[in-house]
């Protein structure tokens, strides 16, 4: 897995983790520590990556979504 | 309602330790990131550590053992708060949004998560004995707020 792909999935994971916290993080924290890094990753994948890289990002995001689904069911 | 406990912690900004499905998440002061990563490597009993980050647009990857991790981190302090940093242990990965905001992806049991949390908190001068998950601990102004 290429570094920008791995980072994009990782930053999405950080975002998901914050959504599951028992207390709410500040909007600034969400923006600076999750959304902006994720936007940079996605930009890099679109500008320098392949279609397969983009697909891997989506697969990684989907795996994180399944993690949330497991929490919702329990 | 959170439970408040007095601690002997000094000079703490805010520290957060949370359990998550499939891992844990942390907010660590930037000055404590290197110590935190070494503690994590020791707690997870890993043999090999791989760090990767972007340096002026160039992708850099470094590997070391847990024993040499502290020395390696000293040479790359400026990258530890960078959102491009990824730390890969044998069976765990640490992602970061930068500035000490970390997510640990690892298959850990409740006891292991509690042990890691206790180890990290102890390093910052706070002694708690967490035993079950989910839990969330906030250290703020020398006080620990524990949510379970």
């Amino acid at each position: 897995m290429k570094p920008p792909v791995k980072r994009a999935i990782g930053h999405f994971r950080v975002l998901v983790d914050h959504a599951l916290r028992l207390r709410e993080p500040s909007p600034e924290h969400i923006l600076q520590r999750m959304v902006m890094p994720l936007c940079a990753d996605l930009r890099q994948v679109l500008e320098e990556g392949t279609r397969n890289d983009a697909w891997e990002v989506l697969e990684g995001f989907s795996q994180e979504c399944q993690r949330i689904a497991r929490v919702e069911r329990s | 309602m959170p439970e408040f406990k007095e601690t002997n912690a000094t000079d703490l900004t805010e520290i957060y330790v949370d359990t998550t499905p499939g891992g844990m998440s942390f907010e660590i002061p930037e000055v404590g990131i290197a110590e935190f990563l070494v503690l994590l490597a020791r707690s997870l009993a890993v043999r090999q550590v791989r760090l990767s980050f972007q340096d002026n647009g160039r992708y850099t990857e470094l590997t070391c053992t847990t024993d040499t991790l502290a020395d390696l981190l000293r040479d790359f302090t400026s990258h530890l708060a960078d959102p491009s940093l990824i730390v890969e242990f044998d069976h765990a990965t640490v992602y970061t949004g930068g500035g000490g905001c970390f997510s640990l992806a690892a298959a850990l049991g409740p006891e292991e998560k509690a042990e890691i949390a206790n180890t990290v908190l102890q390093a910052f001068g706070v002694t708690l004995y967490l035993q079950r998950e989910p839990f969330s601990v906030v250290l703020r102004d020398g006080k620990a707020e524990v949510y379970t």
Side-chain angles (χ1 to χ4, degrees):
Chain A
M1 192 182 285
K2 291 179 185 171
V5 173
K6 200 185 288 185
R7 272 201 308 273
I9 297 167
H11 286 139
F12 186 68
R13 183 189 175 89
V14 176
L15 180 61
V16 169
D17 281 352
H18 280 68
L20 298 173
R21 281 187 177 175
L22 299 173
R23 340 151 238 98
E24 289 183 37
S26 71
E28 298 86 60
H29 186 75
I30 297 285
L31 183 67
Q32 191 181 358
R33 299 296 172 211
M34 283 143 265
V35 176
M36 287 171 72
L38 184 54
C39 291
D41 300 330
L42 295 178
R43 195 168 52 242
Q44 193 174 2
V45 170
L46 286 174
E47 287 174 359
E48 301 168 19
T50 63
R51 284 175 186 271
N52 189 55
D53 295 334
W55 183 253
E56 280 191 320
V57 169
L58 288 178
E59 282 184 326
F61 283 10
S62 179
Q63 282 176 7
E64 289 302 322
C65 293
Q66 287 169 32
R67 197 160 63 97
I68 302 173
R70 281 197 293 272
V71 175
E72 283 179 337
R73 277 198 297 272
S74 61
Chain B
M1 280 288 287
E3 180 184 344
F4 291 93
K5 293 186 179 177
E6 290 290 340
T7 73
N8 60 353
T10 55
D11 196 27
L12 284 174
T13 52
E14 291 183 8
I15 296 172
Y16 297 79
V17 180
D18 295 88
T19 56
T20 64
M24 298 180 73
S25 73
F26 306 87
E27 302 290 341
I28 304 293
E30 289 191 21
V31 291
I33 293 175
E35 185 182 3
F36 162 72
L37 291 173
V38 171
L39 283 172
L40 209 49
R42 287 186 186 146
S43 295
L44 293 166
V46 297
R47 294 176 63 187
Q48 193 165 17
V49 184
R50 185 164 57 186
L51 284 99
S52 59
F53 53 84
Q54 261 191 317
D55 190 2
N56 286 325
R58 223 182 76 231
Y59 176 71
T60 304
E61 189 175 299
L62 307 157
T63 55
C64 67
T65 63
T66 299
D67 291 340
T68 57
L69 179 60
D71 291 335
L72 185 71
L73 295 178
R74 255 193 294 279
D75 295 336
F76 294 94
T77 310
S78 60
H79 296 285
L80 300 184
D82 191 296
S84 71
L85 177 74
I86 295 177
V87 184
E88 291 170 272
F89 300 122
D90 297 339
H91 302 293
T93 305
V94 178
Y95 301 101
T96 180
C101 174
F102 291 100
S103 171
L104 167 67
L108 300 168
E111 295 85 8
E112 291 168 297
K113 289 180 183 179
E115 193 180 320
I116 288 169
N118 286 328
T119 304
V120 169
L121 292 168
Q122 219 155 27
F124 290 99
V126 177
T127 302
L128 291 175
Y129 296 97
L130 302 158
Q131 291 177 321
R132 61 182 178 197
E133 72 166 313
F135 61 77
S136 178
V137 181
V138 185
L139 301 186
R140 199 173 5 221
D141 302 326
K143 284 185 178 171
E145 299 169 18
V146 182
Y147 301 79
T148 55

